[in-house]
Amino acid sequence: MINNNKILKKEQSPEKNIGLLTIVLLFSLGMMGCAQHKSTNDSLNQYKQIRKTLGPVHSEEPINQNYIQTDLYSISPQSTPRVVFEVGKQNVLRINTALHLPGTSYKLVSYDLPQGAEQPQFVNGIWELKWTPSADLMAIFKSGTIKRFHLKIEITDTKDLRSKEIAKNLAAETAIDYTLEFPKTTPEIVAIQGIAKFPDVTRLNEGELLPLTIRVKDESASNSQKPLLLNPLDIDKFHDKESVINGGRFFILSGDPTPVKGQPGLWDFKAVFNTKIITVPVVQSSNGKPLPKTIMSNLILQAKGANDKLSTETLVSFEITYRQELLRPVFKTNKPELEQVAQTSKYTWTFESFLPSHVGTMTTYLADTSVLLSGSPKLAKCKILSKSPFRHQCSFSWTIPCSQPVGPTEIKIISAGDDNGQSSSTEFVKKLNITENKKCNPTPKESKQGDKNDKK
């Protein structure tokens, strides 16, 4: 019995050990749980203290981004990174594209193209965007202004299911930065209407005027930036019959050019070649030779485009026949039409008279009515300023006596021209208002009555 009990105790001994181990383990876990709970509380307290220094925390919804891998598509303009369009010319921007989605077809579009540009078209395996910029756009593209538009791949059909899902979020787009430049072509004077074409000579008589229309081709011009017409400086060259004078003196431009309707790039300038109001210089012949009857005049014109380029110079020649007709003399004076002069004062007046024609001589004298005025007005000998055309300067003087009545008075001057039996004359009337000088009419002194009686 004893041996059996001993055996039994030996068999139960491991169970007791397990029980003891279990109790110890549970106690240990309880202690660890208490320690862990305490550590968590400490961490929460520390977080609360830190949060106070961070300020409020905002809760935002996540942004739904359409992200497509860069190797899924490509839009590559051939002219990048710098796209330059030329004004007035059809420009073609070629764009290579690729979209790696099986069973998918697409087109290339833009919703913010420049004014007048066409939507891209697929031509021979490449997209082509065509644009002919109007010259009027250059006003907003000064100093290399850069603008932008966008190109986008737009799905038109998708048969592959996987591609269809990807295409829903497809954002295949690129931005194109571009600028405009003036055309590099130079302007050109293409025609001058109203005269003979060089080297033929246009003939006219002095005193005539010729209307001219100068047509200029300038592809860079617009309503806001028009071409200019220049008249380069030229000097007179006097050598008797070989003399040539600068025709620019007779050239009068009427104003800004106007565009030719239905013909882009063409502009018309209106002008006149005027020898009616502008004097034709006279060649002074040497060695007593007679004056030439005609003189040559060259006119040089040049156009300046809106792009600041200059055309070649255009030369046209005129043969001007001097006016042989004797015209009436003309007076020139700086004095006002009516002047006021007092009795006993000396009045002087200097004036010029000349013949508008290039023939004839002239004399100037007082009319008889003026010669007979009191005080004998005088016209001094006139000084000749030029002989062709005839021009001289005369001086009038008059000391107005007390006998000259007060009030309006007229002085009449006559200039008479003469040339080989031809005669002409002009009368000029100078108006004066004679005012009274009290010295001419003194008031008699009155005798004081009663002086003699007072002395008595």
Side-chain angles (χ1 to χ4, degrees), residues 375-418:
S376 300
K378 291 183 175 60
L379 190 65
K381 185 178 180 180
C382 297
K383 178 184 177 182
I384 298 176
L385 302 179
S386 68
K387 291 184 177 180
S388 181
F390 194 93
R391 177 187 294 267
H392 62 195
Q393 185 182 70
C394 304
S395 295
F396 170 85
S397 63
W398 182 27
T399 301
I400 303 170
C402 290
S403 59
Q404 177 63 33
V406 173
T409 300
E410 291 183 346
I411 299 171
K412 296 182 179 179
I413 309 288
I414 298 173
S415 283
D418 178 75

mmCIF file of all heavy atoms in Angstrom, residues 375-418:
data_model
loop_
_atom_site.group_PDB
_atom_site.id
_atom_site.type_symbol
_atom_site.label_atom_id
_atom_site.label_comp_id
_atom_site.label_asym_id
_atom_site.label_seq_id
_atom_site.Cartn_x
_atom_site.Cartn_y
_atom_site.Cartn_z
ATOM 1 N N GLY A 375 -0.045 166.558 -99.012
ATOM 2 C CA GLY A 375 1.228 166.087 -98.453
ATOM 3 C C GLY A 375 2.058 165.302 -99.426
ATOM 4 O O GLY A 375 3.159 164.857 -99.083
ATOM 5 N N SER A 376 1.525 165.066 -100.633
ATOM 6 C CA SER A 376 2.279 164.387 -101.706
ATOM 7 C C SER A 376 2.889 163.054 -101.265
ATOM 8 O O SER A 376 4.094 162.936 -101.014
ATOM 9 C CB SER A 376 3.391 165.311 -102.233
ATOM 10 O OG SER A 376 2.849 166.500 -102.751
ATOM 11 N N PRO A 377 2.075 161.987 -101.119
ATOM 12 C CA PRO A 377 2.627 160.654 -100.805
ATOM 13 C C PRO A 377 3.640 160.234 -101.859
ATOM 14 O O PRO A 377 3.532 160.606 -103.028
ATOM 15 C CB PRO A 377 1.394 159.746 -100.836
ATOM 16 C CG PRO A 377 0.235 160.668 -100.691
ATOM 17 C CD PRO A 377 0.622 161.962 -101.303
ATOM 18 N N LYS A 378 4.614 159.442 -101.439
ATOM 19 C CA LYS A 378 5.685 159.033 -102.361
ATOM 20 C C LYS A 378 5.872 157.510 -102.315
ATOM 21 O O LYS A 378 5.716 156.887 -101.271
ATOM 22 C CB LYS A 378 6.999 159.715 -101.982
ATOM 23 C CG LYS A 378 7.023 161.203 -102.228
ATOM 24 C CD LYS A 378 8.375 161.769 -101.885
ATOM 25 C CE LYS A 378 8.458 163.254 -102.236
ATOM 26 N NZ LYS A 378 7.468 164.083 -101.522
ATOM 27 N N LEU A 379 6.206 156.977 -103.469
ATOM 28 C CA LEU A 379 6.567 155.556 -103.580
ATOM 29 C C LEU A 379 8.021 155.503 -104.023
ATOM 30 O O LEU A 379 8.357 155.921 -105.140
ATOM 31 C CB LEU A 379 5.663 154.845 -104.603
ATOM 32 C CG LEU A 379 5.769 153.313 -104.641
ATOM 33 C CD1 LEU A 379 5.292 152.710 -103.331
ATOM 34 C CD2 LEU A 379 4.944 152.760 -105.798
ATOM 35 N N ALA A 380 8.894 155.033 -103.128
ATOM 36 C CA ALA A 380 10.323 154.983 -103.440
ATOM 37 C C ALA A 380 10.587 153.960 -104.539
ATOM 38 O O ALA A 380 9.759 153.084 -104.820
ATOM 39 C CB ALA A 380 11.117 154.621 -102.187
ATOM 40 N N LYS A 381 11.750 154.100 -105.170
ATOM 41 C CA LYS A 381 12.111 153.170 -106.238
ATOM 42 C C LYS A 381 12.115 151.738 -105.708
ATOM 43 O O LYS A 381 12.698 151.455 -104.670
ATOM 44 C CB LYS A 381 13.475 153.528 -106.807
ATOM 45 C CG LYS A 381 13.855 152.674 -108.004
ATOM 46 C CD LYS A 381 15.194 153.102 -108.570
ATOM 47 C CE LYS A 381 15.570 152.246 -109.777
ATOM 48 N NZ LYS A 381 16.880 152.646 -110.339
ATOM 49 N N CYS A 382 11.457 150.855 -106.419
ATOM 50 C CA CYS A 382 11.334 149.464 -105.942
ATOM 51 C C CYS A 382 12.645 148.697 -106.160
ATOM 52 O O CYS A 382 13.306 148.862 -107.197
ATOM 53 C CB CYS A 382 10.198 148.765 -106.675
ATOM 54 S SG CYS A 382 8.575 149.505 -106.362
ATOM 55 N N LYS A 383 12.949 147.849 -105.195
ATOM 56 C CA LYS A 383 14.162 147.025 -105.249
ATOM 57 C C LYS A 383 13.817 145.668 -105.869
ATOM 58 O O LYS A 383 12.908 144.975 -105.414
ATOM 59 C CB LYS A 383 14.716 146.834 -103.843
ATOM 60 C CG LYS A 383 15.933 145.951 -103.773
ATOM 61 C CD LYS A 383 16.348 145.753 -102.314
ATOM 62 C CE LYS A 383 17.530 144.807 -102.209
ATOM 63 N NZ LYS A 383 17.925 144.570 -100.786
ATOM 64 N N ILE A 384 14.546 145.277 -106.925
ATOM 65 C CA ILE A 384 14.279 143.998 -107.596
ATOM 66 C C ILE A 384 14.873 142.858 -106.772
ATOM 67 O O ILE A 384 16.078 142.835 -106.492
ATOM 68 C CB ILE A 384 14.864 143.991 -109.022
ATOM 69 C CG1 ILE A 384 14.193 145.073 -109.867
ATOM 70 C CG2 ILE A 384 14.677 142.623 -109.673
ATOM 71 C CD1 ILE A 384 14.765 145.212 -111.270
ATOM 72 N N LEU A 385 14.043 141.910 -106.388
ATOM 73 C CA LEU A 385 14.482 140.749 -105.606
ATOM 74 C C LEU A 385 14.829 139.569 -106.513
ATOM 75 O O LEU A 385 15.731 138.797 -106.213
ATOM 76 C CB LEU A 385 13.393 140.340 -104.604
ATOM 77 C CG LEU A 385 12.969 141.421 -103.599
ATOM 78 C CD1 LEU A 385 11.866 140.887 -102.692
ATOM 79 C CD2 LEU A 385 14.157 141.880 -102.763
ATOM 80 N N SER A 386 14.102 139.392 -107.608
ATOM 81 C CA SER A 386 14.408 138.335 -108.577
ATOM 82 C C SER A 386 13.792 138.720 -109.911
ATOM 83 O O SER A 386 12.833 139.500 -109.970
ATOM 84 C CB SER A 386 13.869 136.981 -108.120
ATOM 85 O OG SER A 386 12.462 136.964 -108.130
ATOM 86 N N LYS A 387 14.365 138.182 -110.991
ATOM 87 C CA LYS A 387 13.886 138.522 -112.333
ATOM 88 C C LYS A 387 13.031 137.424 -112.955
ATOM 89 O O LYS A 387 12.261 137.696 -113.874
ATOM 90 C CB LYS A 387 15.083 138.811 -113.238
ATOM 91 C CG LYS A 387 15.820 140.096 -112.867
ATOM 92 C CD LYS A 387 16.933 140.390 -113.862
ATOM 93 C CE LYS A 387 17.633 141.705 -113.531
ATOM 94 N NZ LYS A 387 18.725 142.013 -114.486
ATOM 95 N N SER A 388 13.180 136.186 -112.477
ATOM 96 C CA SER A 388 12.374 135.108 -113.050
ATOM 97 C C SER A 388 12.081 134.080 -111.950
ATOM 98 O O SER A 388 12.957 133.284 -111.611
ATOM 99 C CB SER A 388 13.099 134.445 -114.224
ATOM 100 O OG SER A 388 12.310 133.429 -114.793
ATOM 101 N N PRO A 389 10.903 134.158 -111.388
ATOM 102 C CA PRO A 389 9.835 135.113 -111.684
ATOM 103 C C PRO A 389 10.182 136.506 -111.155
ATOM 104 O O PRO A 389 10.925 136.639 -110.184
ATOM 105 C CB PRO A 389 8.632 134.522 -110.952
ATOM 106 C CG PRO A 389 9.227 133.756 -109.813
ATOM 107 C CD PRO A 389 10.512 133.190 -110.330
ATOM 108 N N PHE A 390 9.592 137.521 -111.790
ATOM 109 C CA PHE A 390 9.916 138.897 -111.430
ATOM 110 C C PHE A 390 9.278 139.228 -110.079
ATOM 111 O O PHE A 390 8.076 139.087 -109.888
ATOM 112 C CB PHE A 390 9.423 139.855 -112.510
ATOM 113 C CG PHE A 390 9.998 141.231 -112.390
ATOM 114 C CD1 PHE A 390 11.148 141.573 -113.083
ATOM 115 C CD2 PHE A 390 9.417 142.179 -111.559
ATOM 116 C CE1 PHE A 390 11.703 142.850 -112.972
ATOM 117 C CE2 PHE A 390 9.964 143.442 -111.439
ATOM 118 C CZ PHE A 390 11.118 143.780 -112.137
ATOM 119 N N ARG A 391 10.119 139.738 -109.188
ATOM 120 C CA ARG A 391 9.650 140.070 -107.844
ATOM 121 C C ARG A 391 10.418 141.315 -107.381
ATOM 122 O O ARG A 391 11.635 141.388 -107.521
ATOM 123 C CB ARG A 391 9.900 138.901 -106.885
ATOM 124 C CG ARG A 391 9.512 139.175 -105.439
ATOM 125 C CD ARG A 391 9.953 138.008 -104.548
ATOM 126 N NE ARG A 391 9.236 136.793 -104.857
ATOM 127 C CZ ARG A 391 8.121 136.405 -104.249
ATOM 128 N NH1 ARG A 391 7.600 137.143 -103.284
ATOM 129 N NH2 ARG A 391 7.541 135.283 -104.596
ATOM 130 N N HIS A 392 9.683 142.256 -106.807
ATOM 131 C CA HIS A 392 10.380 143.408 -106.230
ATOM 132 C C HIS A 392 9.710 143.861 -104.936
ATOM 133 O O HIS A 392 8.593 143.437 -104.601
ATOM 134 C CB HIS A 392 10.526 144.554 -107.231
ATOM 135 C CG HIS A 392 9.232 145.137 -107.712
ATOM 136 N ND1 HIS A 392 9.152 145.960 -108.817
ATOM 137 C CD2 HIS A 392 7.964 145.029 -107.244
ATOM 138 C CE1 HIS A 392 7.892 146.317 -108.987
ATOM 139 N NE2 HIS A 392 7.168 145.776 -108.053
ATOM 140 N N GLN A 393 10.443 144.756 -104.230
ATOM 141 C CA GLN A 393 9.998 145.261 -102.935
ATOM 142 C C GLN A 393 9.940 146.787 -103.007
ATOM 143 O O GLN A 393 10.894 147.434 -103.454
ATOM 144 C CB GLN A 393 10.963 144.816 -101.834
ATOM 145 C CG GLN A 393 10.523 145.183 -100.431
ATOM 146 C CD GLN A 393 11.553 144.760 -99.404
ATOM 147 O OE1 GLN A 393 12.628 145.339 -99.333
ATOM 148 N NE2 GLN A 393 11.226 143.713 -98.647
ATOM 149 N N CYS A 394 8.821 147.364 -102.565
ATOM 150 C CA CYS A 394 8.616 148.802 -102.668
ATOM 151 C C CYS A 394 8.309 149.396 -101.288
ATOM 152 O O CYS A 394 7.795 148.695 -100.402
ATOM 153 C CB CYS A 394 7.461 149.126 -103.611
ATOM 154 S SG CYS A 394 7.664 148.405 -105.265
ATOM 155 N N SER A 395 8.607 150.694 -101.138
ATOM 156 C CA SER A 395 8.347 151.393 -99.875
ATOM 157 C C SER A 395 7.499 152.633 -100.140
ATOM 158 O O SER A 395 7.815 153.448 -101.035
ATOM 159 C CB SER A 395 9.660 151.802 -99.203
ATOM 160 O OG SER A 395 10.396 150.663 -98.837
ATOM 161 N N PHE A 396 6.445 152.768 -99.361
ATOM 162 C CA PHE A 396 5.542 153.913 -99.468
ATOM 163 C C PHE A 396 5.729 154.780 -98.219
ATOM 164 O O PHE A 396 5.861 154.260 -97.107
ATOM 165 C CB PHE A 396 4.086 153.422 -99.573
ATOM 166 C CG PHE A 396 3.064 154.505 -99.442
ATOM 167 C CD1 PHE A 396 2.692 155.253 -100.548
ATOM 168 C CD2 PHE A 396 2.462 154.789 -98.225
ATOM 169 C CE1 PHE A 396 1.742 156.255 -100.432
ATOM 170 C CE2 PHE A 396 1.518 155.785 -98.110
ATOM 171 C CZ PHE A 396 1.148 156.522 -99.212
ATOM 172 N N SER A 397 5.745 156.101 -98.414
ATOM 173 C CA SER A 397 5.855 157.012 -97.264
ATOM 174 C C SER A 397 4.938 158.213 -97.471
ATOM 175 O O SER A 397 4.758 158.693 -98.608
ATOM 176 C CB SER A 397 7.302 157.468 -97.073
ATOM 177 O OG SER A 397 7.748 158.204 -98.189
ATOM 178 N N TRP A 398 4.368 158.724 -96.353
ATOM 179 C CA TRP A 398 3.442 159.851 -96.430
ATOM 180 C C TRP A 398 3.424 160.552 -95.083
ATOM 181 O O TRP A 398 3.072 159.944 -94.069
ATOM 182 C CB TRP A 398 2.055 159.362 -96.814
ATOM 183 C CG TRP A 398 1.025 160.449 -96.967
ATOM 184 C CD1 TRP A 398 1.238 161.739 -97.299
ATOM 185 C CD2 TRP A 398 -0.403 160.290 -96.802
ATOM 186 N NE1 TRP A 398 0.064 162.443 -97.372
ATOM 187 C CE2 TRP A 398 -0.979 161.568 -97.071
ATOM 188 C CE3 TRP A 398 -1.231 159.233 -96.483
ATOM 189 C CZ2 TRP A 398 -2.357 161.785 -97.012
ATOM 190 C CZ3 TRP A 398 -2.597 159.450 -96.438
ATOM 191 C CH2 TRP A 398 -3.155 160.709 -96.697
ATOM 192 N N THR A 399 3.816 161.832 -95.097
ATOM 193 C CA THR A 399 3.666 162.656 -93.903
ATOM 194 C C THR A 399 2.313 163.350 -94.023
ATOM 195 O O THR A 399 2.109 164.201 -94.889
ATOM 196 C CB THR A 399 4.798 163.683 -93.794
ATOM 197 O OG1 THR A 399 6.043 162.981 -93.744
ATOM 198 C CG2 THR A 399 4.652 164.525 -92.539
ATOM 199 N N ILE A 400 1.414 162.994 -93.159
ATOM 200 C CA ILE A 400 0.012 163.426 -93.286
ATOM 201 C C ILE A 400 -0.141 164.845 -92.741
ATOM 202 O O ILE A 400 0.082 165.088 -91.544
ATOM 203 C CB ILE A 400 -0.912 162.438 -92.534
ATOM 204 C CG1 ILE A 400 -0.689 161.025 -93.089
ATOM 205 C CG2 ILE A 400 -2.364 162.858 -92.667
ATOM 206 C CD1 ILE A 400 -1.338 159.939 -92.301
ATOM 207 N N PRO A 401 -0.523 165.781 -93.579
ATOM 208 C CA PRO A 401 -0.641 167.163 -93.122
ATOM 209 C C PRO A 401 -1.965 167.412 -92.398
ATOM 210 O O PRO A 401 -2.886 166.601 -92.431
ATOM 211 C CB PRO A 401 -0.576 167.953 -94.438
ATOM 212 C CG PRO A 401 -1.195 167.030 -95.435
ATOM 213 C CD PRO A 401 -0.804 165.636 -95.013
ATOM 214 N N CYS A 402 -2.035 168.588 -91.766
ATOM 215 C CA CYS A 402 -3.277 168.948 -91.079
ATOM 216 C C CYS A 402 -4.412 169.173 -92.067
ATOM 217 O O CYS A 402 -5.594 169.057 -91.722
ATOM 218 C CB CYS A 402 -3.064 170.227 -90.255
ATOM 219 S SG CYS A 402 -1.978 169.983 -88.804
ATOM 220 N N SER A 403 -4.017 169.458 -93.315
ATOM 221 C CA SER A 403 -5.052 169.706 -94.329
ATOM 222 C C SER A 403 -5.752 168.445 -94.791
ATOM 223 O O SER A 403 -6.777 168.509 -95.476
ATOM 224 C CB SER A 403 -4.435 170.427 -95.531
ATOM 225 O OG SER A 403 -3.388 169.627 -96.087
ATOM 226 N N GLN A 404 -5.201 167.272 -94.437
ATOM 227 C CA GLN A 404 -5.838 166.010 -94.835
ATOM 228 C C GLN A 404 -7.064 165.780 -93.947
ATOM 229 O O GLN A 404 -6.962 165.740 -92.718
ATOM 230 C CB GLN A 404 -4.869 164.831 -94.686
ATOM 231 C CG GLN A 404 -5.477 163.491 -95.001
ATOM 232 C CD GLN A 404 -5.948 163.358 -96.451
ATOM 233 O OE1 GLN A 404 -5.339 163.929 -97.354
ATOM 234 N NE2 GLN A 404 -7.047 162.667 -96.654
ATOM 235 N N PRO A 405 -8.238 165.661 -94.541
ATOM 236 C CA PRO A 405 -9.466 165.521 -93.749
ATOM 237 C C PRO A 405 -9.432 164.267 -92.854
ATOM 238 O O PRO A 405 -8.838 163.246 -93.197
ATOM 239 C CB PRO A 405 -10.563 165.398 -94.799
ATOM 240 C CG PRO A 405 -9.975 165.987 -96.036
ATOM 241 C CD PRO A 405 -8.514 165.699 -95.992
ATOM 242 N N VAL A 406 -10.059 164.418 -91.719
ATOM 243 C CA VAL A 406 -10.183 163.288 -90.791
ATOM 244 C C VAL A 406 -11.199 162.291 -91.349
ATOM 245 O O VAL A 406 -12.225 162.692 -91.910
ATOM 246 C CB VAL A 406 -10.621 163.788 -89.398
ATOM 247 C CG1 VAL A 406 -10.913 162.613 -88.476
ATOM 248 C CG2 VAL A 406 -9.556 164.694 -88.807
ATOM 249 N N GLY A 407 -10.895 160.997 -91.187
ATOM 250 C CA GLY A 407 -11.813 159.961 -91.648
ATOM 251 C C GLY A 407 -11.124 158.949 -92.550
ATOM 252 O O GLY A 407 -9.895 158.957 -92.703
ATOM 253 N N PRO A 408 -11.897 158.053 -93.194
ATOM 254 C CA PRO A 408 -11.310 156.998 -94.030
ATOM 255 C C PRO A 408 -10.665 157.547 -95.302
ATOM 256 O O PRO A 408 -11.193 158.465 -95.930
ATOM 257 C CB PRO A 408 -12.503 156.097 -94.359
ATOM 258 C CG PRO A 408 -13.697 156.968 -94.185
ATOM 259 C CD PRO A 408 -13.363 157.967 -93.115
ATOM 260 N N THR A 409 -9.506 156.987 -95.608
ATOM 261 C CA THR A 409 -8.765 157.380 -96.801
ATOM 262 C C THR A 409 -8.203 156.132 -97.466
ATOM 263 O O THR A 409 -7.776 155.195 -96.777
ATOM 264 C CB THR A 409 -7.607 158.336 -96.441
ATOM 265 O OG1 THR A 409 -8.153 159.503 -95.832
ATOM 266 C CG2 THR A 409 -6.830 158.734 -97.679
ATOM 267 N N GLU A 410 -8.189 156.124 -98.795
ATOM 268 C CA GLU A 410 -7.653 154.981 -99.539
ATOM 269 C C GLU A 410 -6.410 155.378 -100.324
ATOM 270 O O GLU A 410 -6.393 156.443 -100.959
ATOM 271 C CB GLU A 410 -8.702 154.418 -100.499
ATOM 272 C CG GLU A 410 -9.874 153.745 -99.805
ATOM 273 C CD GLU A 410 -10.849 153.139 -100.797
ATOM 274 O OE1 GLU A 410 -10.745 153.467 -102.004
ATOM 275 O OE2 GLU A 410 -11.703 152.339 -100.374
ATOM 276 N N ILE A 411 -5.383 154.498 -100.235
ATOM 277 C CA ILE A 411 -4.177 154.679 -101.037
ATOM 278 C C ILE A 411 -4.167 153.547 -102.062
ATOM 279 O O ILE A 411 -4.233 152.370 -101.695
ATOM 280 C CB ILE A 411 -2.919 154.627 -100.163
ATOM 281 C CG1 ILE A 411 -2.958 155.755 -99.135
ATOM 282 C CG2 ILE A 411 -1.665 154.727 -101.024
ATOM 283 C CD1 ILE A 411 -1.867 155.644 -98.100
ATOM 284 N N LYS A 412 -4.083 153.887 -103.335
ATOM 285 C CA LYS A 412 -4.141 152.884 -104.398
ATOM 286 C C LYS A 412 -2.771 152.732 -105.044
ATOM 287 O O LYS A 412 -2.155 153.709 -105.464
ATOM 288 C CB LYS A 412 -5.177 153.275 -105.444
ATOM 289 C CG LYS A 412 -6.605 153.307 -104.895
ATOM 290 C CD LYS A 412 -7.613 153.655 -105.973
ATOM 291 C CE LYS A 412 -9.028 153.671 -105.419
ATOM 292 N NZ LYS A 412 -10.044 154.024 -106.450
ATOM 293 N N ILE A 413 -2.305 151.435 -105.099
ATOM 294 C CA ILE A 413 -1.027 151.083 -105.710
ATOM 295 C C ILE A 413 -1.313 150.196 -106.922
ATOM 296 O O ILE A 413 -2.135 149.274 -106.855
ATOM 297 C CB ILE A 413 -0.119 150.315 -104.720
ATOM 298 C CG1 ILE A 413 -0.015 151.065 -103.396
ATOM 299 C CG2 ILE A 413 1.240 150.052 -105.336
ATOM 300 C CD1 ILE A 413 0.806 152.323 -103.464
ATOM 301 N N ILE A 414 -0.631 150.437 -108.023
ATOM 302 C CA ILE A 414 -0.821 149.648 -109.239
ATOM 303 C C ILE A 414 0.498 148.976 -109.609
ATOM 304 O O ILE A 414 1.545 149.618 -109.637
ATOM 305 C CB ILE A 414 -1.307 150.523 -110.408
ATOM 306 C CG1 ILE A 414 -2.662 151.137 -110.063
ATOM 307 C CG2 ILE A 414 -1.408 149.704 -111.692
ATOM 308 C CD1 ILE A 414 -3.149 152.149 -111.082
ATOM 309 N N SER A 415 0.423 147.625 -109.876
ATOM 310 C CA SER A 415 1.563 146.887 -110.427
ATOM 311 C C SER A 415 1.160 146.401 -111.805
ATOM 312 O O SER A 415 0.088 145.791 -111.973
ATOM 313 C CB SER A 415 1.937 145.702 -109.540
ATOM 314 O OG SER A 415 2.654 146.135 -108.406
ATOM 315 N N ALA A 416 2.023 146.680 -112.800
ATOM 316 C CA ALA A 416 1.710 146.326 -114.189
ATOM 317 C C ALA A 416 2.807 145.429 -114.754
ATOM 318 O O ALA A 416 4.000 145.702 -114.586
ATOM 319 C CB ALA A 416 1.568 147.581 -115.038
ATOM 320 N N GLY A 417 2.405 144.318 -115.394
ATOM 321 C CA GLY A 417 3.344 143.385 -115.999
ATOM 322 C C GLY A 417 3.363 143.528 -117.499
ATOM 323 O O GLY A 417 2.357 143.912 -118.121
ATOM 324 N N ASP A 418 4.507 143.165 -118.104
ATOM 325 C CA ASP A 418 4.639 143.277 -119.559
ATOM 326 C C ASP A 418 5.563 142.184 -120.070
ATOM 327 O O ASP A 418 6.587 141.879 -119.445
ATOM 328 C CB ASP A 418 5.213 144.653 -119.916
ATOM 329 C CG ASP A 418 5.407 144.785 -121.425
ATOM 330 O OD1 ASP A 418 4.412 144.957 -122.137
ATOM 331 O OD2 ASP A 418 6.578 144.674 -121.873
#
